[in-house]
């Protein structure tokens, strides 16, 4: 009777240990890049697409990022805001107010995935702030007529050039 109980406990503990070890099994899909963090520190290894076995749960954390996915951040004027001065309402050089809204699209570079994973919760906010800065500078340096007539073309070019430059710094 004792032997059966000991054998049952042994088998149960082996199954639990195998189950815990299986939590280290992860898959990286095509179009994804993975970053492995061991106890929070980013490891230099970059797993290629496929099935991998790492350290179990609690030791390793695997963050998979779709590098071919197009991300979107909308900045500027939003309808229905309760604020006295809604975001995206900008002052032109001749002291008129214009409502400006832009959508910023970006992709994660495969060589920058580790930096993205560490700062992922801040990326959209920083991108929005960089775009808002460029929009405010562009609108403030033009009259209301210039902003309304040339805004779609001129502001787009300024956003593409300057936002990327601000983010790279």
């Amino acid at each position: 009777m004792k032997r059966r109980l000991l054998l049952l406990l042994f088998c149960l503990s082996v199954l639990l240990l195998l189950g815990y070890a299986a939590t280290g099994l992860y898959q990286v899909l095509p179009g994804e890049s993975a970053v492995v963090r061991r106890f929070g520190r980013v490891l230099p290894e970059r797993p290629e697409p496929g099935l991998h076995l790492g350290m179990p749960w609690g030791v390793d954390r695997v963050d998979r990022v779709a590098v071919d996915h197009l991300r979107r951040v909308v900045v500027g004027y939003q309808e229905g805001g309760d604020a006295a001065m809604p975001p995206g309402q900008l002052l032109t050089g001749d002291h008129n107010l214009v409502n400006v809204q832009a959508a910023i699209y970006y992709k994660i570079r495969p060589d920058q995935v580790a930096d993205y994973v560490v700062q992922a919760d801040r990326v959209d906010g920083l991108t929005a702030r960089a775009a808002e800065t460029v929009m405010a500078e562009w609108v403030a340096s033009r009259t209301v007529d210039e902003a309304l007539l040339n805004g779609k073309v001129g502001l787009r070019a300024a956003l593409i050039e300057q936002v990327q430059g601000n983010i790279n710094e």
Side-chain angles (χ1 to χ4, degrees), residues 26 33-36 42-49 52 110-111 113-115:
Y26 62 93
S33 186
V35 175
V36 180
V42 176
L43 298 180
E45 67 185 56
R46 298 288 175 261
E48 296 294 322
H52 302 276
D111 60 328
V113 171
D115 294 334

Side-chain angles (χ1 to χ4, degrees), residues 7 11 15 17 26 28-29 45 47 58 65 71 90 93 133 139 145-146 160 169:
L7 184 62
C11 290
L15 283 175
L17 188 62
Y26 62 93
V28 179
L29 299 174
E45 67 185 56
V65 178
R71 289 163 170 73
L90 304 173
T133 301
V139 168
D145 292 333
E146 287 178 78
I160 290 170
E169 291 175 0

Side-chain angles (χ1 to χ4, degrees), residues 10 44 74-75 127:
F10 176 74
V74 177
V75 294
T127 304

Side-chain angles (χ1 to χ4, degrees), residues 91-129:
L91 191 63
T92 63
D94 59 353
H95 305 290
N96 288 296
L97 289 175
V98 291
N99 296 332
V100 181
Q101 183 183 52
I104 308 296
Y105 294 92
Y106 67 94
K107 284 186 179 183
I108 308 301
R109 291 186 201 148
D111 60 328
Q112 300 287 322
V113 171
D115 294 334
Y116 175 78
V117 165
V118 172
Q119 302 292 332
D121 56 336
R122 300 175 58 202
V123 171
D124 286 350
L126 291 173
T127 304
R129 298 300 83 73

Side-chain angles (χ1 to χ4, degrees), residues 6 30 44 46 56 79 85 121 166:
L6 285 174
R46 298 288 175 261
E79 289 283 332
M85 177 76 171
D121 56 336
N166 290 349

Side-chain angles (χ1 to χ4, degrees), residues 130-162:
E132 287 170 354
T133 301
V134 172
M135 286 172 25
E137 288 176 4
W138 190 88
V139 168
S141 66
R142 284 162 178 73
T143 65
V144 68
D145 292 333
E146 287 178 78
L148 293 176
L149 292 175
N150 303 327
K152 284 190 176 184
V153 175
L155 182 57
R156 174 181 291 161
L159 282 170
I160 290 170
E161 178 184 330
Q162 294 176 15

